[in-house]
Amino acid sequence: MTEIFGVPIQSLMGQLMIGLVNGSFYAMLSLGLAVIFGMLNVVNFAHGAFYMMGAFFSWLLLKHFEVNYWWSLLLAPLGVATVGVVVEKTMLRWLYQLDHLYGLLLTFGLALIIEGFFRDQYGVSGQPYDLPDIFKGAFDLGFMMLPKYRAWVIVACLSVCLATWFVIERTRLGSYLRAGTENPKLVQAFGINVPLMVTLTYAFGVGLAGLAGVLAAPVYQVNPLMGSNIIIVVFAVVVIGGMGSILGAVVTGLALGLIEGLTKVFYPEASATVVFIIMAIVLLIRPAGLFGREK
Amino acid sequence: QAPAPGKASDDVVKIGVLTDMSGVYADYGGPGAVTAAKMAIEDFGGKMFGKTIEIVSADHQNKADVAKNVTQQWFDRDKVDATFENLNSAVAIAVQGLGKEKNKITVVTGAASSKLTNEECSPNSGIHYLMDTIALGNVVGKAIVKDGGDTWFFLTADYAFGHSLEKDTGDVVKAAGGKVLGAVRHPLSTSDFSSFLLQAQSSKAKIVGLANAGLDTVNSIKAASEFGITKNQNLAALLMLITDVHSVGLNTAQGLYLTEGWYWDMNPETRAWAKRYEERMKKKPNSNHAAVYSSVMHYLNAVKAAGTDDTAAVLKKMKETPINDMFAKGGKIREDGRMVHDMYLFQVKTPAESKAPWDYYKLKGTVKGDDAFQSLAMSRCAALKK
Amino acid sequence: MSADYILETQHLTKAFRGFTAVDGVNLQIVRGSIHALIGPNGAGKTTVFNLLTKFLPVTSGRIVYNGHDITSEAPAQIARRGVIRSFQISAVFPHLTVMENVRVALQRKLGTSFHFWKSDASLAHLNDRAMQLLGEVDLESFADTETVSLPYGRKRALEIATTLAVDPELMLLDEPTQGMGHEDVGRVVELIRKVSANRTVLMVEHNMSVVANLCNTITVLARGSVLAEGPYAEVSKNAQVLEAYVGSSEMEAL
Amino acid sequence: MDKRTKILYGALLLVALAAPFVGGYPIFLMKVLCFALFACAFNLLIGFTGLLSFGHAMFFGSAAYFCGHAAKAWGLTPELAVVLGTLGAAIMGYFVGWLAVRRQGIYFAMVTLALSQMVYFICVQAPFTGAEDGLQSVPRGKLLGLISLRDDTAMYYFVLAVFLFGFYVIYRTIHSPFGQVLKSIRENEPRALSLGYDVDKYKLLAFVISAGLAGMAGALKALSLGLASLTDVSWQMSGEVVLMTLLGGMGTILGPFLGAATIITMQNYLSGFGSWVTVIMGITFVVCVLAFRRGIVGEIAYRLKAK
Amino acid sequence: MSAGWNAVSMPTPATDAALSISNLHAYYGESHILHGVSLEVAKGELITLLGRNGAGRTTTLKAILGLTGKRTGSIKINGTEAIGLASHKIARLGIGYCPEERGIFSSLSCEENLLLLPKVGAGLAANKGLSVDELYAMFPNLKERRTSQGTRLSGGEQQMLAMARILRTGADILLLDEITEGLAPVIVQTLGRVIRELKVKGFTIIMVEQNFRFAAPLADRHYVMEHGEIAAVVEKHELAAKTEMLHEFLGV
Ligand SMILES: Nc1ncnc2c1ncn2[C@@H]1O[C@H](COP(=O)(O)OP(=O)(O)OP(=O)(O)O)[C@@H](O)[C@H]1O
Ligand SMILES: Nc1ncnc2c1ncn2[C@@H]1O[C@H](COP(=O)(O)OP(=O)(O)OP(=O)(O)O)[C@@H](O)[C@H]1O
Ligand SMILES: [Mg+2]
Ligand SMILES: [Mg+2]
């Protein structure tokens, strides 16, 4: 068996594959953050909470209404997006004139509220969400068993990310979004319904988080803390990639998933910190982030 | 000035139940623990020396400083005589330390750190009532190796607790003639265990020992089942609670080995108490709830027997009297504060075997208290050496 | 004879992703002169300013100031050498009072700006000088006003006062009269003339009467390179300049 | 300082001195002072430099560990242990600040948050922190090797003295030539740069001072409660200090103090509410941001001015 | 001063007015900037707002579009009351706005900037908006820099772009704020020609200008503003007679 630094190459491939799955979640979450940040200039601290909410919605749908996974995949993100609409219309809306920091603070408060609520209702120990039947089992890739569901997660995340990228960079709606990002008042004065666009953007961004949550539900525990655990890492990912570009968010997310996967093999002790260490290094050599645009 | 016999120092006996009401361990302790304590007081008769026994409870939010703050106020201002439960090892150590300083009895049930009767011991005020990490390792290690599981690979949470759990269990396995093939250390609160499990898988060990706790254990078990690891290897959770099994679901957890100090479905006595508890809480009790009940009852009996709530006198009585109730048979509180009682190895039932909600375990073995817990001779408790 | 020149650039070049905004510019600024940089929009004037003050990194070429090569120095370092710029869009400290705006600039020379243990009463002796500077731009009566509430023209005047406060050796003014009313323009012209007495000024300006009035030397930029250079009388007759910049021969008219 | 402010400060000082004798519970009072100092240190950054550090718990918590370890394992006297904690945090602040000032605004917040999470993980794994169990039974020791601080009231006055020192440092910094430059940087960074101020160095110094004082607060906390734990370095703690400052009034001098007192009191009374504490904290955040941005002190000052 | 306004605008039938403003007050936060501005522009007319810095000319344009803070009074655009409408609805009544600070979007390329604006308004029958080719012919610089990022254009190029993009939308009322500001004379001349063409095509134009020489030959009427009010109205034919007064107001 060929080995790299004492690790069989095949198990290394397996680890990379798993890294890619984690990377897909990072990518999808940082993409949502980037989209929201772009349009609203708000760093959505509640993103993790919405991700958790997505997972919970699908669990609740299954438990109370016997809605299956596929419908959840559609309904749960819609539900999350609806909450997003309410949040945007009743709260965030009042902050656009102010320093961006207030958006961060508000969403931080929201994250606490949402997390506290779910903790109170469903406890902290987590709820099980079974794999849908067609995803039971694994592909035998020869060197490893790739669980079917994980493969699906990679495919689903990547397609969603690509679609989002296409819409924003290549369509007319996208150019409204980008222009609105810079000077919403002016864009509105040109005849575009900016308030609606902003609401929908926020809804879309948190909907993405919700979707990630549904995808994560069968893999991880459906747990009120799952959001706050992941969100800080995603922030680091965003700093590394720079929020300047959609593609940057996706690529960085995937790459960091891979790197984290490798660390787990070669030096597992550091796997919790590796992302932050990379962030520090990137800050030293490219303060604006790998894909960031300097203002 | 010793208080007159038959009279509490300040007229009333007042106990505190400090627990995690809302956090990770709220199901393990939480409101259920308070209920258990209240049941004990009611069963005792509700009165001591003619005065109603009082109970206060608080949420420590799993923060040691909150716990310390609350307990300090209890001792300083609210005239609380003894505190119970004190789940989570940071809290337990903090509270026990305070008890030592203020000379008040502190009974720990929920926390499993063996430091409580070693480095941080307090023989004159602290009691560790339920299980500790050494016992956990002992039971799982010995029983499984005996059962044929002689090659081990550990999945260890990378902090002091995980390390000591891994080491203690490893030693037991080796002593019993088994082999430890390796270990991988994962960071605390990892959400994805798959890559660590792949490493466990390639080790080809028969048993994968999970030297972690709480959500980490739950997540490792889920990932193990997803990656088909449980087909060729068996998992042994070194610290797993029935609430964790409940949240993983039998489908995933089936076949898993674990250690407990108590289970509701062991004998008529446990079932009867569990039924009474369930009537109030609409849930089955776990070992911690039973331990809280038992320890409160034992404390009250000791106060009555001593005729005072004076710490030294009560503690002396508590240590003299053996514990015989639905929680433990022939249990005894040792000099170092360790309550020694029998421990059990369980295996999680398959969904087919499970007949009712919370019908989760089959008993695989019983380990006598003296074999399960660390011997007094091995103790690193400095206060005992003097 | 570099001794006469306070600032020299050699083949100064700035390329933005495949587009060269400044292309091999050789500037020589005579000490004590008022030098104008003019040219059509997009010629690269603001970019030259950004390069000279290192707000943008230089792609290639050298900048020599007072005989020192400052090409690789940091913006604050260059400012401390005495090269101070104003911005094309007004730059003030909006929530400080007008007086404090000027005082912040004065304060640097004291060398106590890192002294967090000193009282700010130690700055009070700067107030007189600050008032004097405000007087020069007619802002005394606004001294205690919060700067946000000033009208645009006043803000630009304040900016000049702030620039003067650091006592620059070389002032870079990017369109100092842009957006001003006529009487303000006249006042600023006089002000620049007055303060240029013992320093050097390099300015970008579109208002030709201002340029004609003030400047000793004019450099015309077009598409990133120098098109012509010389005194106003000479440059204003240069056919190339007329074509590129004025578009007709009636320069006087505008 | 005008006369009214002087009277106010004097009155507050009197209250603080008398507090243990008029029924104040010393442990609670100490806790309030520690967190008030923490919030004031944090406010120096957000309120006067415009930098939102979302990771200030890393200084608070690490200093608590430094100080606790020094007092417990090395037997340092309390004042030396506090000095050590403060210095340790300031040095950390230097490195973290050195990285973080490279980014502005919202990124700065995220960078500090991420770095503090890294510190958190390091604290989980480091040998001397006791991981989940925390660093327990930190002895208060004898002040200057002479006066025992075991008594809560004695300890309270020690904490009060250190707090006053820290508060004075902050007050001085804000009203210093350095403070003026900080304000101008907050207002218009490129302009400050073009006037010859090396803005990054100013931000860094502010960051170091703030980190050091946050550390001083953490060290004090470790001594007075006898405990340093992971809670002190967690991101929730960073969030709490933000809330204290926001509630009291960012950029006001007394605001953070009041905010800290309010939140600590609230936590004390609400501890029976379980997860609802988190929810209530969250709601406080939201309400402050939406309707009460000036904070308590800021609002009072504004009302007084408007009259 | 409103007497002067009445005198000149009464003859214009109200139904024919493209824009009619009366008693407009506008605020930025707490500061009251416009104090009862009234003016009326007939279809196809070109008027200017003159005045010193800070007189409130930009604010008038912004108030029409709802870009200031609170505002009161009445703004009728092609007969529709717009005072209570959101900015995007006002724009859709057929208004094109070229802001003082140009408002070019840096995340969009030059061409994306040009194509960004949606079609607005019913438009004149003759005016479906200019095509992109026509615009490039009008401003060749833009064609050359079409792929570069919006704000990497020079000040002048940005000005041309800001002007060009509103001509595409089919808006028939143009609000132009200081479009010659900071432009090289050669481009100022181009713009002058463009404006003249637009007038011929029937656009209604309101121009804020500092450059009186540029504005004078183009405008049908000048409104002189001072301190947020209309201080005087000068018809084209009165220019010569009122030069003295204008100089006084404008400080020329
Ligand atoms: N966003 C704002 N907030 C507060 N006041 C403002 C704001 N914008 C402009 N002002 C004030 O409103 C008044 C009118 O400004 P406006 O921009 O309309 O003037 P203008 O006539 O267009 O002059 P300029 O030549 O400066 O463009 C000025 O006193 C200005 O200071
Ligand atoms: N950051 C940048 N990236 C790419 N191109 C840029 C950048 N900054 C400026 N440019 C380009 O460089 C050229 C020169 O711009 P500059 O702002 O220096 O012109 P200017 O001479 O100051 O013009 P104006 O008088 O209109 O202000 C322009 O074509 C502009 O598009
Ligand atoms: Mg320019
Ligand atoms: Mg204007």
Side-chain angles (χ1 to χ4, degrees):
Chain A
M1 215 188 323
T2 348
E3 297 192 347
I4 296 178
F5 302 125
V7 177
I9 195 153
Q10 298 176 333
S11 89
L12 199 61
M13 294 304 291
Q15 297 290 0
L16 286 178
M17 199 56 107
I18 288 165
L20 209 55
V21 177
N22 277 335
S24 307
F25 285 114
Y26 292 158
M28 213 150 140
L29 290 175
S30 57
L31 173 66
L33 272 183
V35 169
I36 292 176
F37 180 76
M39 189 72 219
L40 288 80
N41 264 324
V42 164
V43 171
N44 189 29
F45 209 116
H47 216 64
F50 283 113
Y51 162 78
M52 175 266 285
M53 203 187 262
F56 259 100
F57 280 177
S58 60
W59 175 75
L60 289 171
L61 283 170
L62 182 70
K63 189 173 163 219
H64 294 298
F65 306 102
E66 303 196 348
V67 173
N68 71 17
Y69 177 80
W70 297 107
W71 279 105
S72 278
L73 219 43
L74 181 71
L75 293 179
L78 274 181
V80 173
T82 314
V83 177
V85 168
V86 174
V87 165
E88 199 280 334
K89 281 201 177 277
T90 57
M91 301 178 199
L92 283 172
R93 171 139 300 182
W94 309 106
L95 300 180
Y96 299 141
Q97 265 61 276
L98 308 171
D99 195 315
H100 305 347
L101 297 178
Y102 287 108
L104 180 73
L105 296 178
L106 181 97
T107 48
F108 179 76
L110 274 178
L112 291 182
I113 297 175
I114 298 173
E115 195 182 294
F117 174 79
F118 277 92
R119 255 167 69 170
D120 185 73
Q121 295 295 306
Y122 305 104
V124 196
S125 27
Q127 311 290 345
Y129 189 93
D130 265 342
L131 283 179
D133 281 336
I134 81 157
F135 290 128
K136 293 229 164 96
F139 298 113
D140 192 347
L141 301 183
F143 55 88
M144 72 171 297
M145 302 291 284
L146 177 63
K148 287 183 185 162
Y149 187 73
R150 305 244 168 184
W152 155 247
V153 167
I154 299 179
V155 172
C157 283
L158 287 184
S159 334
V160 170
C161 291
L162 270 179
T164 310
W165 173 81
F166 183 83
V167 168
I168 291 181
E169 294 292 333
R170 291 283 179 271
T171 66
R172 196 170 177 78
L173 176 66
S175 56
Y176 287 161
L177 278 173
R178 278 176 290 148
T181 298
E182 282 180 52
N183 191 342
K185 273 191 145 182
L186 187 59
V187 170
Q188 191 173 3
F190 288 150
I192 297 164
N193 190 345
V194 172
L196 180 68
M197 203 162 85
V198 166
T199 308
L200 293 181
T201 306
Y202 189 73
F204 175 74
V206 301
L208 272 185
L211 181 61
V214 184
L215 286 171
V219 191
Y220 311 139
Q221 198 74 350
V222 177
N223 180 304
L225 304 178
M226 65 195 280
S228 45
N229 286 339
I230 201 169
I231 189 70
I232 300 179
V233 179
V234 173
F235 277 181
V237 171
V238 163
V239 173
I240 294 170
M243 291 226 242
S245 85
I246 301 294
L247 209 56
V250 176
V251 172
T252 321
L254 290 175
L256 284 168
L258 286 177
I259 293 174
E260 210 182 49
L262 287 181
T263 322
K264 283 178 181 168
V265 184
F266 291 111
Y267 192 59
E269 284 83 354
S271 57
T273 39
V274 64
V275 173
F276 304 113
I277 294 169
I278 293 175
M279 181 189 82
I281 296 171
V282 168
L283 278 172
L284 284 179
I285 50 188
R286 258 192 82 100
L290 298 178
F291 297 86
R293 281 193 280 248
E294 211 40 293
K295 288 174 286 180
Chain B
Q1 353 66 292
K7 195 168 179 308
S9 53
D10 47 19
D11 272 7
V12 274
V13 169
K14 191 164 180 181
I15 65 167
V17 177
L18 184 67
T19 185
D20 174 10
M21 297 292 236
S22 56
V24 204
Y25 301 112
D27 293 338
Y28 187 50
V34 180
T35 305
K38 284 187 179 151
M39 283 169 71
I41 295 174
E42 282 166 33
D43 292 356
F44 182 80
K47 281 194 184 323
M48 180 81 73
F49 312 138
K51 291 263 160 68
T52 307
I53 300 168
E54 289 181 26
I55 177 170
V56 284
S57 65
D59 181 9
H60 58 53
Q61 300 159 29
N62 285 317
K63 293 181 191 163
D65 40 359
V66 175
K68 211 164 167 178
N69 232 340
V70 171
T71 312
Q72 194 144 17
Q73 296 204 20
W74 278 356
F75 289 160
D76 286 353
R77 299 208 300 200
D78 304 341
K79 308 258 173 356
V80 166
D81 297 299
T83 75
F84 293 82
E85 212 307 63
N86 301 316
L87 209 185
N88 151 349
S89 42
V91 165
I93 295 173
V95 169
Q96 183 168 297
L98 203 60
K100 186 156 133 190
E101 194 185 317
K102 307 265 175 191
N103 191 30
K104 301 274 187 179
I105 292 176
T106 54
V107 180
V108 174
T109 51
S113 170
S114 58
K115 279 191 197 158
L116 286 166
T117 49
N118 286 294
E119 290 85 352
E120 306 280 350
C121 71
S122 167
N124 298 322
S125 65
I127 295 173
H128 195 181
Y129 208 84
L130 188 52
M131 57 203 170
D132 66 20
T133 47
I134 298 179
L136 292 170
N138 262 336
V139 175
V140 172
K142 279 179 192 158
I144 294 180
V145 175
K146 209 157 71 188
D147 215 32
D150 54 359
T151 52
W152 284 62
F153 185 92
F154 286 102
L155 198 61
T156 308
D158 193 12
Y159 66 104
F161 164 80
H163 297 175
S164 75
L165 205 50
E166 176 196 322
K167 182 175 172 302
D168 293 346
T169 315
D171 289 347
V172 173
V173 167
K174 283 182 223 153
K179 263 207 316 210
V180 175
L181 301 182
V184 58
R185 297 194 164 167
H186 68 79
L188 186 63
S189 309
T190 300
S191 53
D192 184 39
F193 279 86
S194 34
S195 75
F196 302 114
L197 281 162
L198 285 191
Q199 296 178 45
Q201 193 172 32
S202 42
S203 77
K204 305 267 184 328
K206 288 187 194 158
I207 303 289
V208 178
L210 306 178
N212 49 23
L215 273 183
D216 282 346
T217 310
V218 166
N219 280 331
S220 357
I221 294 171
K222 285 197 76 177
S225 121
E226 197 193 344
F227 279 81
I229 283 165
T230 39
K231 284 198 196 99
N232 307 314
Q233 295 170 300
N234 265 314
L235 296 184
L238 299 183
L239 175 55
M240 178 135 182
L241 312 170
I242 196 164
T243 42
D244 297 335
V245 174
H246 180 69
S247 76
V248 176
L250 287 188
N251 242 333
T252 309
Q254 53 182 302
L256 181 83
Y257 289 106
L258 54 85
T259 313
E260 265 286 16
W262 187 86
Y263 172 53
W264 67 271
D265 195 15
M266 292 198 300
N267 55 49
E269 232 179 320
T270 57
R271 280 188 287 271
W273 187 78
K275 187 155 173 281
R276 285 174 50 213
Y277 175 93
E278 199 177 357
E279 273 159 15
R280 299 178 180 225
M281 293 301 292
K282 315 287 171 238
K283 262 187 209 162
K284 287 280 189 237
N286 59 41
S287 55
N288 186 33
H289 300 142
V292 169
Y293 176 89
S294 167
S295 58
V296 171
M297 186 61 102
H298 188 59
Y299 170 79
L300 294 176
N301 283 327
V303 174
K304 192 171 173 194
T308 168
D309 62 0
D310 175 68
T311 299
V314 174
L315 203 66
K316 186 155 169 281
K317 270 278 172 272
M318 287 178 84
K319 287 183 176 170
E320 280 169 11
T321 327
I323 298 152
N324 277 306
D325 56 11
M326 60 87 197
F327 174 72
K329 291 278 172 276
K332 55 180 184 289
I333 298 171
R334 240 167 30 187
E335 224 181 307
D336 60 348
R338 176 70 254 166
M339 197 302 238
V340 178
H341 54 97
D342 295 352
M343 296 284 293
Y344 311 95
L345 179 73
F346 291 106
Q347 189 173 24
V348 176
K349 289 182 172 175
T350 62
E353 289 168 323
S354 170
K355 300 280 178 309
W358 298 94
D359 175 17
Y360 288 163
Y361 295 166
K362 17 182 208 213
L363 188 63
K364 294 293 271 191
T366 303
V367 179
K368 282 276 147 234
D370 288 327
D371 295 333
F373 291 96
Q374 182 190 35
S375 72
L376 206 50
M378 302 273 291
S379 173
R380 298 183 298 276
C381 175
L384 280 185
K385 304 261 154 73
K386 277 182 205 153
Chain C
M1 279 291 284
S2 66
D4 290 335
Y5 300 131
I6 185 167
L7 183 91
E8 258 186 291
T9 68
Q10 298 163 359
H11 300 287
L12 191 63
T13 299
K14 177 71 197 177
F16 297 109
R17 270 188 235 171
F19 168 72
T20 311
V22 175
D23 195 358
V25 167
N26 296 311
L27 272 183
Q28 288 164 331
I29 316 288
V30 178
R31 189 182 305 278
S33 67
I34 301 182
H35 193 126
L37 198 56
I38 66 169
N41 297 107
K45 304 178 296 288
T46 303
T47 310
V48 167
F49 271 28
N50 282 334
L51 294 175
L52 294 181
T53 51
K54 293 310 295 296
F55 276 64
L56 283 174
V58 173
T59 308
S60 67
R62 261 164 38 103
I63 307 169
V64 178
Y65 176 70
N66 274 337
H68 301 280
D69 185 335
I70 59 166
T71 319
S72 55
E73 289 187 354
Q77 227 172 336
I78 288 173
R80 283 195 298 269
R81 284 189 181 277
V83 183
I84 308 294
R85 70 177 296 182
S86 73
F87 292 81
Q88 193 166 353
I89 294 152
S90 92
V92 290
F93 303 118
H95 294 285
L96 300 186
T97 65
V98 169
M99 154 87 87
E100 280 172 331
N101 259 272
V102 178
R103 217 173 58 180
V104 163
L106 285 172
Q107 183 190 335
R108 207 198 74 216
K109 284 265 163 69
L110 287 182
T112 61
S113 296
F114 279 110
H115 293 190
F116 60 85
W117 54 88
K118 270 219 180 83
S119 164
D120 55 4
S122 68
L123 299 176
H125 68 276
L126 298 175
N127 290 359
D128 291 344
R129 174 75 185 125
M131 278 314 264
Q132 196 183 339
L133 284 162
L134 288 179
E136 294 195 29
V137 293
D138 266 356
L139 284 174
E140 299 120 307
S141 53
F142 293 93
D144 294 325
T145 322
E146 211 183 21
T147 311
V148 251
S149 48
L150 288 190
Y152 185 74
R154 300 278 185 187
K155 284 186 191 149
R156 303 242 30 167
L158 173 61
E159 205 190 333
I160 292 179
T162 314
T163 308
L164 284 177
V166 284
D167 197 17
E169 213 183 334
L170 173 62
M171 280 171 85
L172 307 181
L173 305 176
D174 199 349
E175 305 199 25
T177 65
Q178 178 192 322
M180 284 190 177
H182 290 266
E183 80 259 59
D184 285 344
V185 171
R187 186 138 33 86
V188 167
V189 168
E190 280 322 302
L191 183 63
I192 294 174
R193 196 195 307 285
K194 192 161 83 189
V195 303
S196 68
N198 43 11
R199 48 176 66 90
T200 316
V201 176
L202 173 63
M203 61 194 286
V204 169
E205 188 53 76
H206 280 299
N207 189 328
M208 278 307 119
S209 64
V210 172
V211 174
N213 224 323
L214 272 177
C215 302
N216 314 92
T217 316
I218 294 167
T219 301
V220 185
L221 279 186
R223 295 175 171 272
S225 355
V226 177
L227 189 69
E229 194 169 47
Y232 180 77
E234 197 177 295
V235 170
S236 61
K237 296 205 177 64
N238 183 317
Q240 268 178 302
V241 173
L242 290 180
E243 192 198 321
Y245 188 53
V246 189
S248 75
S249 53
E250 357 159 41
M251 190 154 188
E252 305 300 291
L254 286 153
Chain D
M1 244 198 269
D2 61 15
K3 201 157 175 196
R4 235 173 38 191
T5 337
K6 272 187 185 150
I7 294 174
L8 179 66
Y9 280 114
L12 282 174
L13 183 62
L14 279 182
V15 170
L17 284 172
F21 297 106
V22 292
Y25 182 54
I27 302 273
F28 172 77
L29 295 175
M30 283 188 257
K31 201 170 167 192
V32 168
L33 286 181
C34 292
F35 280 93
L37 181 56
F38 185 22
C40 290
F42 170 80
N43 185 43
L44 180 63
L45 270 189
I46 179 72
F48 297 93
T49 321
L51 295 174
L52 171 60
S53 159
F54 225 105
H56 246 46
M58 72 181 130
F59 307 118
F60 182 81
S62 305
Y65 282 124
F66 294 150
C67 168
H69 189 69
K72 193 176 175 185
W74 304 337
L76 251 54
T77 52
E79 70 287 348
L80 287 182
V82 169
V83 169
L84 188 99
T86 310
L87 284 181
I91 292 170
M92 258 176 83
Y94 179 80
F95 287 106
V96 171
W98 182 65
L99 278 175
V101 294
R102 286 155 200 266
R103 300 306 312 262
Q104 271 121 43
I106 219 77
Y107 280 99
F108 183 88
M110 289 197 286
V111 168
T112 45
L113 175 61
L115 288 175
S116 86
Q117 188 70 359
M118 180 164 107
V119 170
Y120 175 87
F121 283 121
I122 292 173
C123 286
V124 172
Q125 291 174 341
F128 68 94
T129 56
E132 289 241 294
D133 297 344
L135 191 61
Q136 303 248 11
S137 326
V138 176
R140 286 178 187 169
K142 290 188 170 142
L143 185 61
L144 301 169
L146 301 171
I147 310 156
S148 167
L149 295 179
R150 267 189 84 97
D151 176 49
D152 284 340
T153 317
M155 185 66 196
Y156 170 75
Y157 285 109
F158 174 64
V159 173
L160 181 62
V162 179
F163 169 82
L164 289 175
F165 172 75
F167 190 78
Y168 176 75
V169 171
I170 291 168
Y171 182 86
R172 185 70 293 147
T173 306
I174 292 167
H175 298 282
S176 73
F178 176 66
Q180 276 290 321
V181 180
L182 285 186
K183 270 179 236 163
S184 69
I185 291 173
R186 178 187 66 187
E187 294 288 307
N188 189 340
E189 203 177 312
R191 183 56 176 161
L193 188 62
S194 78
L195 290 176
Y197 290 112
D198 227 327
V199 294
D200 283 358
K201 287 202 183 123
Y202 287 86
K203 287 185 189 169
L204 183 54
L205 177 58
F207 197 83
V208 171
I209 296 176
S210 171
L213 291 171
M216 187 184 278
L220 272 187
K221 190 234 113 174
L223 283 184
S224 46
L225 298 188
L227 159 83
S229 69
L230 286 177
T231 323
D232 302 334
V233 270
S234 66
W235 62 265
Q236 286 93 341
M237 179 63 81
S238 299
E240 240 164 64
V241 75
V242 178
L243 179 57
M244 289 170 183
T245 312
L246 183 67
L247 179 66
M250 284 198 242
T252 62
I253 299 212
L254 285 177
F257 180 91
L258 209 63
T262 317
I263 298 283
I264 300 285
T265 314
M266 216 168 92
Q267 282 173 344
N268 239 24
Y269 286 105
L270 293 180
S271 60
F273 285 81
S275 349
W276 291 109
V277 178
T278 324
V279 177
I280 292 168
M281 299 263 289
I283 292 175
T284 319
F285 243 108
V286 170
V287 170
C288 278
V289 172
L290 284 179
F292 202 58
R293 276 183 293 275
R294 291 192 192 94
I296 302 172
V297 171
E299 193 68 36
I300 293 172
Y302 178 78
R303 292 274 159 84
L304 286 180
K305 220 195 219 168
K307 260 181 205 163
Chain E
M1 298 293 156
S2 57
W5 170 76
N6 279 334
V8 286
S9 63
M10 270 331 218
T12 327
T15 45
D16 219 28
L19 178 70
S20 121
I21 298 176
S22 66
N23 198 24
L24 178 65
H25 290 257
Y27 302 76
Y28 286 117
E30 282 158 29
S31 59
H32 190 170
I33 307 289
L34 296 187
H35 305 263
V37 170
S38 301
L39 54 83
E40 188 144 342
V41 192
K43 289 202 169 108
E45 264 189 325
L46 190 157
I47 63 134
T48 69
L49 299 178
L50 302 176
R52 300 179 204 207
N53 282 116
R57 298 162 300 155
T58 300
T59 309
T60 308
L61 299 192
K62 288 192 170 175
I64 294 173
L65 278 163
L67 294 174
T68 57
K70 195 178 99 183
R71 60 205 172 116
T72 59
S74 157
I75 302 170
K76 283 214 166 71
I77 298 168
N78 290 327
T80 312
E81 179 57 58
I83 196 86
L85 295 181
S87 340
H88 61 279
K89 298 219 173 106
I90 301 177
R92 288 185 177 270
L93 297 174
I95 294 194
Y97 175 47
C98 181
E100 191 172 24
E101 69 287 348
R102 292 160 193 159
I104 300 300
F105 299 105
S106 66
S107 53
L108 272 59
S109 70
C110 174
E111 188 157 281
E112 279 176 314
N113 263 291
L114 193 58
L115 298 179
L116 176 76
L117 278 56
K119 298 273 175 194
V120 297
L124 304 170
N127 172 31
K128 296 272 183 293
L130 275 63
S131 74
V132 175
D133 288 335
E134 281 174 281
L135 290 170
Y136 279 150
M138 211 178 258
F139 303 105
N141 277 28
L142 295 182
K143 187 164 189 185
E144 204 178 310
R145 310 276 288 126
R146 64 204 286 176
T147 54
S148 51
Q149 190 192 322
T151 46
R152 303 227 160 136
L153 302 176
S154 79
E157 289 160 352
Q158 292 185 25
Q159 186 63 67
M160 297 179 219
L161 179 54
M163 186 68 205
R165 66 180 170 189
I166 56 171
L167 300 180
R168 234 196 85 253
T169 62
D172 50 15
I173 304 177
L174 305 183
L175 311 182
L176 311 179
D177 199 349
E178 310 250 10
I179 50 168
T180 63
E181 182 66 57
L183 291 195
V186 61
I187 298 175
V188 173
Q189 285 167 11
T190 314
L191 282 176
R193 206 175 54 238
V194 169
I195 302 256
R196 218 163 271 132
E197 277 173 36
L198 294 176
K199 220 186 140 192
V200 171
K201 288 189 177 158
F203 280 86
T204 308
I205 300 176
I206 299 170
M207 226 162 52
V208 168
E209 258 312 325
Q210 191 76 255
N211 187 341
F212 184 63
R213 284 209 185 87
F214 173 77
L218 297 170
D220 296 313
R221 187 162 63 251
H222 304 275
Y223 289 87
V224 182
M225 293 191 70
E226 197 163 68
H227 305 308
E229 285 173 308
I230 303 286
V233 184
V234 180
E235 292 289 335
K236 187 170 191 164
H237 58 84
E238 301 173 312
L239 259 184
K242 295 200 175 170
T243 320
E244 197 68 357
M245 181 199 85
L246 274 177
H247 278 201
E248 198 177 301
F249 274 120
L250 303 178
V252 178

